[in-house]
Amino acid sequence: MKKTDTILDQIITGKKAYLQYRKVQVPLAKLEQDIADLPSSSVPGFYEALKAAEPKPKIIAEVKKASPSAGILREPFDLSEINEAYQTAKNVVAISVITEWQYFQGSDETLEFFAANNTYKKPILRKDFIFDPYQILESKLLGAGAYLLIASLFNVDELQALVDLGQSIGLEPLVEVHTKDELERATATKTRCIGVNSRDLKSFKLDIKKHELLRKLDDPYARVAESGVDSPEYLNQISAYADAVLIGSNFMVSEDIKSSINKIVTPPAMPPSPEDRT
């Protein structure tokens, strides 16, 4: 794994220690056997949901209680309320659940809740700091249909191995990039889904110009714009070259999630024509 000189290094250090404990509690062989015993899933694939003709625009709606940059985002954190809003929103085609606990206050149980209450059968993305094959097998058992891989953590061979493993057990990897070099690393693998995150991992500042990297991807990729999509104007603009946008904080801080979803997918008003102005 690569050093990133960002908060990722601290998070990964903690994750490695936890995984050592976790692997003693639930051995890898047990995970593999449990996966072999799983019934077939009736939930559509993550890639297929992002590439479907309708609806437009497409949103991956995120579930997160907190973030390192903003602290607590939602209190009370009512999973039933969030799930009902996301399930019934036509433009929400997938649900992203953060399971990292130390910085985001997520949990495996939160993902299991959304998988168990997936009324409209929307694919679920597990967002965490995944770097070990054990975590990918965990994701499958928790009910995820996709999982996040952060390209900056890996060389091409490491990234490809983690992509291959997920695809071999019916999970879709979403490879997240921040730079042109990371994009090239991602496209050197067999991943079908690539996300561009506009948030700088050192400063936590947003630079939505990074989303322009998505223009470099051919149409067969499922292209996801992450972070910084917070208005119908920008959503309309970026949908020209992104298949979906991932939105979390905007919904989590809202008093009325349903209204926030409806507001952001409402096409921006067209300016009056010259004839109308006279």
Side-chain angles (χ1 to χ4, degrees), residues 59 74 80-92 120 250-252 254-266:
I59 293 173
R74 191 169 192 83
S80 295
E81 176 195 12
I82 298 167
N83 188 52
E84 201 270 336
Y86 286 175
Q87 289 287 333
T88 56
K90 180 186 72 172
N91 293 85
V92 172
Y120 287 79
N250 184 283
F251 298 152
M252 289 293 94
S254 173
E255 292 184 5
D256 187 334
I257 296 175
K258 288 184 179 182
S259 293
S260 293
I261 295 172
N262 290 334
K263 181 178 179 181
I264 203 165
V265 300
T266 301

Side-chain angles (χ1 to χ4, degrees), residues 45-48 50 60 124-127 130 136 139 144-151 154 158-176 186 189-195 221-224 226:
F46 183 74
Y47 174 84
E48 288 73 19
L50 300 192
I60 305 168
I124 297 174
L125 167 70
R126 184 191 186 190
K127 272 191 78 176
I130 293 173
I136 297 174
S139 301
Y147 60 103
L148 185 76
L149 293 173
I150 301 173
F154 311 106
E158 291 168 336
L159 188 57
Q160 181 64 70
L162 295 173
V163 166
D164 287 345
L165 175 58
Q167 291 176 338
S168 73
I169 60 172
L171 289 185
E172 194 72 54
L174 170 64
V175 178
E176 176 181 292
T189 73
K190 295 178 182 177
T191 189
R192 302 191 297 173
C193 303
I194 294 179
Y221 284 104
R223 300 157 295 188
V224 180
E226 303 176 47

Side-chain angles (χ1 to χ4, degrees), residues 97-197:
V97 180
I98 296 183
T99 56
E100 196 282 330
W101 63 271
Q102 187 173 5
Y103 293 88
F104 292 88
Q105 297 195 25
S107 70
D108 293 350
E109 290 75 20
T110 299
L111 196 155
E112 288 178 311
F113 174 89
F114 281 86
N117 295 278
N118 197 357
T119 311
Y120 287 79
K121 299 188 182 303
K122 300 186 178 187
I124 297 174
L125 167 70
R126 184 191 186 190
K127 272 191 78 176
D128 208 317
F129 300 88
I130 293 173
F131 55 88
D132 189 294
Y134 187 95
Q135 296 167 288
I136 297 174
L137 301 185
E138 269 189 331
S139 301
K140 178 80 171 180
L141 290 171
L142 290 171
Y147 60 103
L148 185 76
L149 293 173
I150 301 173
S152 62
L153 293 173
F154 311 106
N155 62 40
V156 172
D157 290 340
E158 291 168 336
L159 188 57
Q160 181 64 70
L162 295 173
V163 166
D164 287 345
L165 175 58
Q167 291 176 338
S168 73
I169 60 172
L171 289 185
E172 194 72 54
L174 170 64
V175 178
E176 176 181 292
V177 306
H178 299 81
T179 66
K180 181 181 176 182
D181 287 346
E182 291 172 15
L183 181 65
E184 291 173 354
R185 199 176 309 158
T187 55
T189 73
K190 295 178 182 177
T191 189
R192 302 191 297 173
C193 303
I194 294 179
V196 174
N197 193 334

Side-chain angles (χ1 to χ4, degrees), residues 44-73:
F46 183 74
Y47 174 84
E48 288 73 19
L50 300 192
K51 296 299 288 185
E54 296 292 339
K56 292 182 180 178
K58 297 181 181 68
I59 293 173
I60 305 168
E62 188 155 271
V63 182
K64 61 177 177 180
K65 184 175 182 178
S67 78
S69 57
I72 297 292
L73 297 171

